[in-house]
Amino acid sequence: MGVRTSTVAPETDGPGPEDRKPQSDEAHSAFAPPPGVEQPPPPEEDHPTSEFALPEGLAPETSAEPGGSAFATPSTYAAKQSPPAFTPSHGMPAIRLSEDAPWQDRMRTMLRMPVSERPVPEPVQRQGDSAPAVPRVLDLTLRIGELLLAGGEGAEDVEAAMFAICRSYGLDRCEPTVTFTLLSITYQPSLVDDPVTANRTVRRRGTDYTRLAAVYTLVADINADDYEVTLEEAYRRLAEIRRNRHPYPGWVLTVSAGGLAGAASMLLGGDLRVFLIAAAGAMLGDRLAWFCAGRGLPEFYQFAVAAVPPAAMGVVVSLLHAGLQPNAVITGGLFALIPGRALVAAVQDGLTGFYITASARLLEVGYFFVAIVVGVLSVLYGGVQLGAKLNPEGVLGAVERPALQILAAVVLSVTFAVLLQQERSTVLFAALNGAVAWVIYASIAVTAEGSTVMATAVAAGVVGLFGQLMARYEHTSSLPYVTAAIGPLLPGSATYLGVLNIAQNNMDAGFTSLARAAALALAIAIGVNLGGEMARMFIRAPGSAASRRAAKRTRGF
């Protein structure tokens, strides 16, 4: 019998016999190679590739490197170690406007920048527990903008005023739009709310710079931080401004038109008799224009009719052979008709990017010039047929009478200011500004025998600079200080010379003179605009900006 022996397996850390059970066929893949058989490498053309695979020989970039690569290994995003993007990690610097700058400059700056880059809203008017109604704020804004645009203000200044009113009452996400005859404003409370749009049509235009200054005072009070103007008070003051009568009666305006024509004839070498004849012709033309306006005739016919009496006076003086200057008589009468205000506004709108409004204004100015030419030309044709001696070469003769011409420039600016219905407090500065403009023009064009276009542009630039400085000092519009002061620079003589040559069948010379008159008019407008831009660029806050006079008014003035 054999002996049965047993051996004890040593203890190991591996699995026991019960753990080494054979696996079923489900645990194996049909494509798995058998044990002990080495898998052959795939062909080179069958290697799997990916557009995100790292090419051979290229080391992956680390997260510490500033640049990024499409082949770089993704890393966990961290705010402190964020990669550079369009927005810096420290944030975009906040845009802040100077508090000492006038509200016109601040609003104009915001209008010229993209909507996404505009600064946060300024402190708004406190209206109690409830915010003001959006339709009422938009209606008030449109009514104020209508008065400004109808008064001859530029489109950009009107948009700045409308933008300031909306922001003062808490409507910061608003967009005003100004064209020649239509005002529109849109307010959107948020990105998910429907916008509210209102518009207003400007049908009637008038020249009243007293009313324009009162509207500017109202806008400045609404925008002031130290003075609260409720919607009810703003509506009340606006109604008072509309009801206020013009500061000068009709007979004063007629006398001023005569004084303007007489002073212009003195600038061109006329004497006292020429002054009186030119004044009589201009006053008669003004009365005829008022008669046509009362009958509802368009302004084109009003200008044409108003140009007839001065031209007729010049023809009569020439036929009587009284030894006077008929050219000075006719040219003086044209000074009272040239639309300098509309011309300056048209060029200003074009230079600031409001091309539709600028085109409409220039077209209006062109119609007025054509009306003046038609009125004068109809008389000159008859005068030439009757034998009137009108010498084109003697029209633009330079006459050096410094003291008398400076006095005539002052009288011309004063009478022009009265025709524009300016406040009495602004007439004196307009007269001084006009005298300075004439001195500069005569020094360059007459004394130094320089270019008349360059002399006109330089003198108009000084007028615009001084006018803008005074407007910033008084927190009002610059038009009362500028428009009357450019009166001595208006191209009345060049316009008359062109019309006279056409009447004498000298077409080439006539159209050349009319083109020269247009160049002088553009030089005036560009010079005024450039002077104003220089004032806003280099002088941000005048000395009285911090200590503004009392804002509250009883009747809006």
Side-chain angles (χ1 to χ4, degrees):
M1 241 178 116
V3 179
R4 196 175 190 180
T5 60
S6 64
T7 59
V8 180
E11 295 181 1
T12 62
D13 296 333
E18 64 274 9
D19 297 329
R20 293 194 297 269
K21 295 181 180 179
Q23 298 180 352
S24 63
D25 293 338
E26 296 179 357
H28 296 277
S29 173
F31 301 98
V37 178
E38 184 177 357
Q39 178 75 15
E44 185 177 356
E45 60 272 9
D46 293 340
H47 274 293
T49 58
S50 172
E51 58 179 323
F52 302 104
L54 185 66
E56 296 182 2
L58 180 63
E61 298 182 4
T62 60
S63 59
E65 296 181 5
S69 172
F71 307 102
T73 305
S75 59
T76 305
Y77 176 83
K80 295 183 178 180
Q81 298 179 353
S82 59
F86 293 101
T87 303
S89 58
H90 55 273
M92 296 294 293
I95 301 176
R96 298 186 181 276
L97 303 178
S98 175
E99 295 295 335
D100 295 333
W103 64 266
Q104 296 97 320
D105 293 354
R106 290 184 282 121
M107 297 301 109
R108 187 182 293 107
T109 301
M110 283 191 287
L111 286 174
R112 291 180 179 180
M113 66 175 58
V115 179
S116 59
E117 298 179 5
R118 289 176 183 172
V120 295
E122 299 174 353
V124 300
Q125 296 276 349
R126 293 183 175 85
Q127 302 292 332
D129 298 334
S130 60
V134 172
R136 294 195 64 197
V137 174
L138 298 184
D139 178 71
L140 175 67
T141 303
L142 290 174
R143 291 178 181 273
I144 293 178
E146 178 191 8
L147 287 180
L148 293 177
L149 187 63
E153 195 61 81
E156 187 179 34
D157 295 327
V158 176
E159 281 196 1
M162 296 172 64
F163 194 63
I165 296 171
C166 288
R167 288 178 66 90
S168 297
Y169 287 110
L171 309 184
D172 57 293
R173 286 178 289 271
C174 63
E175 281 298 326
T177 303
V178 175
T179 59
F180 186 60
T181 57
L182 183 65
L183 299 174
S184 176
I185 188 166
T186 301
Y187 170 69
Q188 188 172 13
S190 65
L191 295 177
V192 298
D193 293 329
D194 295 332
V196 180
T197 302
N199 53 60
R200 193 173 183 87
T201 303
V202 180
R203 301 187 183 276
R204 297 185 59 186
R205 301 178 185 274
T207 303
D208 190 344
Y209 282 0
T210 301
R211 178 178 295 176
L212 185 68
V215 175
Y216 257 88
T217 302
L218 174 59
V219 177
D221 292 346
I222 293 175
N223 198 64
D225 296 334
D226 54 349
Y227 182 64
E228 180 180 348
V229 180
T230 61
L231 277 176
E232 290 72 18
E233 182 179 357
Y235 269 107
R236 179 185 60 81
R237 290 177 56 176
L238 187 62
E240 291 175 351
I241 292 173
R242 286 181 176 274
R243 288 195 302 265
N244 282 336
R245 298 176 59 86
H246 298 303
Y248 308 104
W251 67 269
V252 174
L253 300 181
T254 302
V255 173
S256 297
L260 191 154
S265 65
M266 298 287 287
L267 288 177
L268 300 174
D271 53 11
L272 181 59
R273 293 180 297 173
V274 173
F275 179 95
L276 295 177
I277 296 174
M283 287 189 292
L284 180 58
D286 181 77
R287 286 293 90 190
L288 288 177
W290 276 99
F291 177 80
C292 294
R295 297 299 184 272
L297 288 178
E299 285 186 298
F300 179 88
Y301 302 105
Q302 298 176 26
F303 273 81
V305 170
V308 170
M313 288 287 185
V315 171
V316 170
V317 169
S318 177
L319 293 175
L320 292 177
H321 303 285
L324 301 177
Q325 296 180 351
N327 296 325
V329 173
I330 300 176
T331 306
L334 295 182
F335 267 81
L337 299 176
I338 296 178
R341 170 184 59 86
L343 179 65
V344 172
V347 177
Q348 180 182 358
D349 289 341
L351 294 176
T352 53
F354 295 84
Y355 301 114
I356 297 178
T357 306
S359 301
R361 289 186 190 270
L362 286 177
L363 186 61
E364 181 188 38
V365 172
Y367 271 106
F368 290 161
F369 268 108
V370 171
I372 296 172
V373 169
V374 169
V376 176
L377 199 59
S378 60
V379 176
L380 292 185
Y381 268 128
V384 171
Q385 298 300 323
L386 293 176
K389 302 298 181 181
L390 300 173
N391 183 17
E393 286 76 12
V395 177
L396 301 178
V399 180
E400 293 193 34
R401 297 182 299 177
L404 185 59
Q405 287 179 331
I406 292 175
L407 179 61
V410 171
V411 174
L412 193 153
S413 300
V414 169
T415 52
F416 202 175
V418 173
L419 288 175
L420 294 173
Q421 303 280 1
Q422 292 187 197
E423 290 181 295
R424 293 176 176 83
S425 59
T426 64
V427 173
L428 178 60
F429 183 85
L432 296 178
N433 205 6
V436 172
W438 177 256
V439 169
I440 295 175
Y441 170 81
S443 299
I444 298 176
V446 179
T447 304
E449 298 181 355
S451 171
T452 54
V453 176
M454 183 186 68
T456 302
V458 173
V462 174
V463 168
L465 177 62
F466 287 170
Q468 187 62 231
L469 292 178
M470 196 65 187
R472 293 162 68 85
Y473 185 85
E474 296 292 339
H475 298 272
T476 184
S477 173
S478 62
L479 291 181
Y481 305 101
V482 170
T483 307
I486 65 174
L489 306 176
L490 293 176
S493 54
T495 303
Y496 166 65
L497 179 58
V499 176
L500 180 58
N501 279 296
I502 294 176
Q504 295 179 348
N505 206 21
N506 299 325
M507 298 298 178
D508 294 338
F511 286 113
T512 301
S513 298
L514 291 179
R516 184 172 175 274
L520 292 173
L522 291 177
I524 293 174
I526 294 175
V528 169
N529 181 264
L530 181 60
E533 292 294 336
M534 291 178 60
R536 286 190 288 263
M537 184 182 303
F538 297 106
I539 305 176
R540 296 186 177 277
S544 67
S547 58
R548 184 174 180 271
R549 60 186 180 182
K552 192 171 184 178
R553 303 290 187 274
T554 55
R555 291 182 57 82
F557 292 95

